[in-house]
Amino acid sequence: MHVLMVAAENDALPGAKVGGVADVVRDAPKALAEQGITVDVVIPDYGIHDLNRTHIGDVTVAFNAHPHVLTLFKVEQSQSKVTQIVVSHPLLSNSGSVYCNDAPGRPFATDATKFALFNAAVCEALLQGVLKRPTALHLHDWHSACVAVLLKFEPRYQTLNNLNIAYTVHNIALQGIRPFKYDDSSLEAWFPSLSYDGQQLCDPRYPHCFNPMRSAINLANKVHLVSPTYSQEVLKPSNYEHGFFGGEGLEQDLKNAADNGKLVGILNGCEYPNSTDKKVSLDDLYSQAQNTLFNWMAKTPQLESGYYIAHQRLQQFMASPVKGPLVTSVGRLTEQKVLLLCQSIESSLAIDKVCKIVNEFNGRIIILGSGDEALEEVFTKAMARNTNLLFLKGYGQGVGDLMYQLGDLFLMPSSFEPCGISQMLAMRAGQPCLVHSVGGLKDTVKHNENGFSFNAGTLSKQADSLLKCLHETLTLHKEQPKQWQKIKANAKGARFSWTQVATDYISYLYQ
């Protein structure tokens, strides 16, 4: 069996990672290769310079009513049975980053055009034999959805029409919606001669718009959600007032897929290295955090208040040993991740209440992450108010790894979580997690067995439930050390292997 994966991100290559999809596209091919499957992985070339590459072919595609020549390179690497490929063109690398931020009112415009061209090149490379025809074509998120659209509706690719397509939804909140026409970044601008079925491709909320994610869901042979629980949650409409995030407008299409036996929920995996972590201490974490802070500070001539407060707080932490538990959190600062912590409770925010509870147990909180600027400001101000909170605005691999190893309790109260990787990394290091029992968090963290979880009906009740669960958890940590050690051991012993994921891919997505 031969599989071709098409994605926007791939952490097997430098500079091609933004989120968790990059980890999946890095790890899943290796697991498939171990089961005898050959895998090609293709992503855009974002102007990555540090690649040992070999030219494998050029393709010419008609795009935006002009011919464009794109070049495909094979990237040399050691993994047998896995071939890494990048597609090069000035339009794919002109920003120097994976994703672009467009002006308000034109969401996804730059990226949608970029990925549409990339998708056209993949289809043409398959037709020309530059890419080997696969047994299964595995598309990831909206960035690769136009591959399915072109294979279905472009007569030029009729000989590829019967390819078995598996489509993975990693983040249903981002669907890549663009107009059908009357815009430089629209389906008819990219492919003016394409005859398509608008009923299959339109957005259910904005019928004049093309929805790449909905298109791929409707056109693929199999639709994959990245956890069993999340595959059921998305069949229901979102209800924001009640704190429920479901199908985000695509619930009917996903329900149709489920009714037709196309929908599959398979949890992502986690790698478990054989090497034992070397002994580290809080001093190592503080030192690493300080070095990372200095690097962030040096990037701009003026010192940001968030970095200044963080540095002062870090000095306070270093000057006095922590007497209670260390609560940690690592992840992107988005509404998905921290909406509950921003809920107003009795004239203060939930994050302040969290700090107060942790302080009752003489504990500290360290949060590592960046993202939405407004949320960054919320957490910077929360740090200024709470002397036991350190907010590190950014991401540093070394700091994150030490936080996983040294934390006593990992906090992950996501409002929705398709799968989640942070909780797996914390558990792998033996740090129990306190999570909102949704999506992949529900599938990995079992209350009072290998971690702690909460749930409730509305946003305010969810925030209350979070605080109650936190207090009960820290009480258990203080008063029942034997029970805590058992939960800690269960967290460390939990396994979510890529081997099983690969087996399920072969059985349920590729057959």
Side-chain angles (χ1 to χ4, degrees):
M1 179 181 285
H2 175 64
V3 174
L4 173 63
M5 287 196 180
V6 185
E9 300 182 38
N10 180 6
D11 195 39
L13 302 179
K17 172 182 168 67
V18 175
V21 62
D23 298 331
V24 174
V25 177
R26 175 196 66 207
D27 296 337
K30 291 188 289 186
L32 289 166
E34 289 170 0
Q35 301 201 27
I37 310 297
T38 61
V39 185
D40 291 349
V41 183
V42 59
I43 69 166
D45 178 357
Y46 299 108
I48 307 167
H49 299 295
D50 301 328
L51 296 178
N52 183 8
R53 61 177 78 196
T54 304
H55 176 263
I56 58 174
D58 298 324
V59 294
T60 302
V61 300
F63 185 77
N64 256 340
H66 292 90
H68 292 261
V69 178
L70 297 96
T71 305
L72 283 79
F73 295 96
K74 174 183 175 182
V75 180
E76 300 303 323
Q77 45 88 44
S78 59
Q79 183 70 37
S80 62
K81 293 194 174 182
V82 177
T83 302
Q84 306 289 353
I85 298 168
V86 295
V87 179
S88 291
H89 184 276
L91 188 62
L92 305 182
S93 59
N94 60 5
S95 69
S97 60
V98 177
Y99 304 123
C100 304
N101 292 318
D102 285 292
R106 301 193 76 227
F108 305 113
T110 302
D111 284 342
T113 297
K114 174 172 67 182
F115 293 119
L117 175 61
F118 164 63
N119 287 191
V122 169
C123 293
E124 190 65 25
L126 282 167
L127 183 67
Q128 299 294 337
V130 178
L131 288 174
K132 179 182 175 183
R133 184 183 178 119
T135 314
L137 178 61
H138 192 159
L139 309 179
H140 292 269
D141 259 350
W142 73 265
H143 319 90
S144 60
C146 276
V147 170
V149 174
L150 290 171
L151 293 184
K152 176 69 175 179
F153 295 113
E154 173 52 64
R156 179 174 177 78
Y157 304 122
Q158 187 174 2
T159 57
L160 301 170
N161 203 300
N162 61 348
L163 276 178
N164 180 32
I165 299 177
Y167 180 64
T168 295
V169 177
H170 293 275
N171 188 349
I172 203 168
L174 300 175
Q175 300 173 14
I177 302 167
R178 294 301 304 152
F180 275 116
K181 54 187 176 181
Y182 307 130
D183 193 286
D184 289 343
S185 179
S186 65
L187 184 64
E188 292 189 14
W190 305 326
F191 310 112
S193 63
L194 187 69
S195 297
Y196 57 86
D197 180 356
Q199 293 301 312
Q200 288 184 294
L201 309 189
C202 72
D203 186 271
R205 296 155 296 186
Y206 315 104
H208 64 288
C209 285
F210 164 57
N211 187 316
M213 182 169 282
R214 178 174 185 250
S215 303
I217 289 170
N218 288 332
L219 298 176
N221 301 93
K222 291 291 176 70
V223 180
H224 167 222
L225 280 301
V226 289
S227 71
T229 293
Y230 193 63
S231 72
Q232 298 305 303
E233 291 172 348
V234 296
L235 303 182
K236 303 173 185 176
S238 299
N239 186 334
Y240 305 129
E241 290 183 4
H242 286 81
F244 177 74
F245 296 79
E248 296 293 280
L250 303 184
E251 55 275 356
Q252 188 56 54
D253 298 281
L254 291 162
K255 191 174 185 303
N256 293 341
D259 292 343
N260 291 324
K262 285 173 44 174
L263 194 71
V264 182
I266 302 173
L267 189 72
N268 287 337
C270 180
E271 294 211 314
Y272 296 91
N274 294 323
S275 58
T276 306
D277 291 328
K278 65 178 183 178
K279 192 72 174 177
V280 291
S281 67
L282 279 176
D283 287 340
D284 296 315
L285 171 58
Y286 294 155
S287 178
Q288 182 74 46
Q290 180 168 262
N291 291 338
T292 302
L293 265 174
F294 285 155
N295 287 331
W296 293 341
M297 291 176 185
K299 290 182 178 179
T300 56
Q302 290 185 320
L303 178 60
E304 291 188 33
S305 61
Y307 294 150
Y308 175 77
I309 299 169
H311 185 257
Q312 294 301 302
R313 183 60 35 79
L314 185 57
Q315 296 302 307
Q316 295 168 15
F317 281 12
M318 296 170 75
S320 59
V322 61
K323 298 176 182 177
L326 176 62
V327 178
T328 66
S329 184
V330 179
R332 293 275 297 164
L333 277 194
T334 62
E335 278 211 343
Q336 172 196 351
K337 302 288 187 182
V338 300
L339 181 62
L340 290 182
L341 294 176
C342 297
Q343 293 305 297
S344 181
I345 303 175
E346 298 172 355
S347 72
S348 62
L349 297 183
I351 181 62
D352 295 300
K353 299 289 187 181
V354 166
C355 291
K356 183 178 179 181
I357 291 171
V358 173
N359 199 48
E360 289 176 21
F361 295 86
N362 297 310
R364 291 172 177 168
I365 308 173
I366 302 179
I367 297 174
L368 173 68
S370 62
D372 185 286
E373 289 185 5
L375 293 173
E376 291 175 350
E377 185 177 349
V378 167
F379 280 82
T380 296
K381 290 180 177 178
M383 174 170 57
R385 293 191 299 267
N386 297 279
T387 58
N388 64 337
L389 171 61
L390 170 62
F391 168 49
L392 299 168
K393 189 187 75 173
Y395 185 72
Q397 184 77 39
V399 178
D401 289 344
L402 290 171
M403 287 173 64
Y404 289 128
Q405 293 180 55
L406 293 167
D408 295 298
L409 179 68
F410 191 83
L411 188 62
M412 195 168 176
S414 306
S415 290
F416 67 96
E417 194 62 67
C419 175
I421 183 64
S422 294
Q423 85 278 18
M424 295 183 187
L425 297 176
M427 293 169 74
R428 182 179 74 181
Q431 181 177 183
C433 302
L434 192 161
V435 305
H436 187 191
S437 188
V438 293
L441 299 176
K442 184 175 181 178
D443 293 329
T444 51
V445 178
K446 307 303 178 186
H447 187 60
N448 279 338
E449 292 181 22
N450 62 13
F452 309 92
S453 63
F454 66 91
N455 210 337
T458 66
L459 280 173
S460 61
K461 289 180 179 178
Q462 287 169 13
D464 289 337
S465 187
L466 159 62
L467 299 177
K468 180 182 176 183
C469 186
L470 177 61
H471 195 279
E472 291 174 350
T473 298
L474 294 182
T475 300
L476 187 149
H477 175 267
K478 179 180 179 180
E479 299 179 357
Q480 300 183 54
K482 288 186 178 180
Q483 177 68 7
W484 184 269
Q485 288 303 318
K486 182 179 179 181
I487 292 171
K488 184 178 173 72
N490 289 343
K492 192 174 182 65
R495 288 293 179 269
F496 312 101
S497 74
W498 276 112
T499 300
Q500 184 59 53
V501 175
T503 299
D504 290 343
Y505 277 12
I506 295 166
S507 300
Y508 302 116
L509 295 184
Y510 300 157
Q511 301 289 1

